[in-house]
Amino acid sequence: MTEQSKKILSEMQVRKSRKQKEAFRAWLCGELEAAGYAPQVEESFAARNVVAGDPEGAKVLLTAHYDTQAVLPVPNFITPRNPFFFALYQLLIVLPLFLAVGVVEGLIFAFVPGAAAWWLAPLSCIAICAFFMWWIVDGPANRHTANDNTSGVLTLVETALALPPEHRERVCFVFFDNEEKGMFGSAAFAKKHKGVKKNTVVLNFDCVGDGNSIQFFSQKKLKKDEAALKRMEAAFLPAGDKDVQVVRGFGFYPSDNASFKRGAGVCALKHKRVVGYYMDRIHTNKDTVLDEDNLTLLRDGALRYLAKLN
């Protein structure tokens, strides 16, 4: 791991407030400039994306979101190849919200007299839901973001610093802002670069640090391009106890790759017999695991992938 990656992991895991993001962008741009890149910050109303390379001329984009999330009492449990468990878990997460609304409205109708209860009850429901949404988006910052998404940021940094200068014109590195608030950064980038949105392969690294199965989930248009999928398989190779899967059947990954027609979401997953492949611990203070072997596999795979592009 480079000294730059060590610094991010030890000192810059929290990138949530405006001040924290500004400090990280300034430091990141300085490190990329020192390595020979010419990074720019693309600003929009919704986000501040760091771009190193020419998006229009690059043959591939390597991306990751650098913003971090609020700490939650329960992890965001994702099962990209098991929609039943994914939907069930999301339902269980919102169940306490419905219970809270039911209890508060029950107390209102029990103790508030007459017509006042009928207008106070819906207002309380709106207030509780608004607080719930605020906590998810702008609640207290999670202090531990090793996997989500410091791991993706480090994958880009490690690859950019190791990439030979003769291969750099083939790629554009993009660090997206505000993925946690609704993929605003990638949406703003795709809106500005419409050709990239439609035609360029985008490999988006999000939560790649915790799990032994590295999996690629392609958008519909990219999934139809068998030659492109085989290039990924030829470049990103299994190593040790790590396997790599370029998923061709059903699979989804809710991240910035969804903003691009030829995008692929790259993540690290664990496996259990009933649930199948899954991701846990993110969005909580237990997000402390970052397997350096995953970073090495992805960095070396990205370097092979870029070296073979004509």
Side-chain angles (χ1 to χ4, degrees):
M1 187 182 294
T2 63
E3 291 303 315
Q4 291 87 343
S5 292
K6 292 177 182 178
K7 183 177 179 65
I8 295 172
L9 189 59
S10 63
E11 302 177 22
M12 299 181 178
Q13 280 201 41
V14 184
R15 304 175 297 276
K16 190 173 188 299
S17 70
R18 179 177 179 179
K19 184 176 181 180
Q20 290 162 347
K21 290 181 181 181
E22 286 178 350
F24 176 72
R25 288 194 300 267
W27 176 86
L28 176 63
C29 288
E31 294 299 317
L32 291 173
E33 288 175 358
Y37 293 90
Q40 298 181 347
V41 178
E42 288 191 354
E43 298 189 12
S44 68
F45 175 76
R48 305 290 185 271
N49 299 322
V50 178
V51 181
D54 176 14
E56 310 299 337
K59 296 183 181 296
V60 63
L61 266 64
L62 300 184
T63 68
H65 75 87
Y66 68 87
D67 63 305
T68 56
Q69 68 291 131
V71 64
L72 299 179
V74 294
N76 187 8
F77 189 78
I78 301 175
T79 54
R81 299 169 75 168
N82 191 329
F84 172 77
F85 271 93
F86 181 77
L88 178 62
Y89 187 78
Q90 302 307 309
L91 180 62
L92 291 175
I93 288 178
V94 300
L95 184 59
L97 172 65
F98 290 116
L99 291 175
V101 170
V103 169
V104 171
E105 294 199 352
L107 292 173
I108 289 173
F109 282 109
F111 296 102
V112 177
W118 291 99
W119 61 262
L120 186 59
L123 288 179
S124 68
C125 177
I126 294 172
I128 293 172
C129 292
F131 176 78
F132 181 78
M133 294 304 299
W134 168 83
W135 187 282
I136 292 176
V137 175
D138 279 325
N142 190 6
R143 313 302 298 182
H144 304 282
T145 66
N147 192 29
D148 186 13
N149 185 32
T150 296
S151 64
V153 170
L154 298 194
T155 299
L156 262 59
V157 169
E158 293 280 308
T159 302
L161 296 181
L163 186 64
E166 61 269 23
H167 294 166
R168 293 184 178 182
E169 65 180 12
R170 305 176 183 184
V171 62
C172 179
F173 296 93
V174 186
F175 299 79
F176 291 127
D177 188 12
N178 283 341
E179 188 270 353
E180 298 290 353
K181 293 185 177 181
M183 299 188 293
F184 291 148
S186 58
F189 184 90
K191 182 177 181 180
K192 180 175 182 178
H193 304 281
K194 293 182 173 61
V196 175
K197 175 181 179 179
K198 294 179 180 179
N199 302 313
T200 306
V201 172
V202 178
L203 302 185
N204 181 61
F205 301 94
D206 191 355
C207 301
V208 296
D210 186 11
N212 286 341
S213 182
I214 307 296
Q215 301 198 10
F216 291 67
F217 293 92
S218 302
Q219 298 302 112
K220 186 176 181 180
K221 186 174 181 180
L222 180 59
K223 192 175 288 187
K224 293 180 179 179
D225 188 345
E226 183 62 23
L229 301 183
K230 288 183 177 179
R231 280 194 291 272
M232 294 180 205
E233 289 176 328
F236 293 90
L237 303 177
D241 61 347
K242 312 293 182 181
D243 76 272
V244 178
Q245 299 184 40
V246 177
V247 179
R248 288 171 169 76
F250 174 82
F252 68 97
Y253 193 62
S255 186
D256 288 310
N257 44 283
S259 297
F260 304 92
K261 300 294 185 182
R262 289 169 60 80
V266 187
C267 62
L269 300 172
K270 306 170 188 176
H271 187 269
K272 285 186 178 179
R273 182 174 298 177
V274 177
V275 177
Y277 291 101
Y278 70 96
M279 178 187 299
D280 63 352
R281 295 199 276 221
I282 60 174
H283 294 195
T284 71
N285 57 17
K286 294 183 179 180
D287 184 3
T288 59
V289 178
L290 197 158
D291 191 333
E292 288 190 40
D293 290 340
N294 288 15
L295 298 185
T296 300
L297 184 156
L298 291 169
R299 179 203 62 199
D300 293 348
L303 294 176
R304 281 191 293 268
Y305 184 85
L306 295 171
K308 293 179 180 179
L309 288 177
N310 294 322

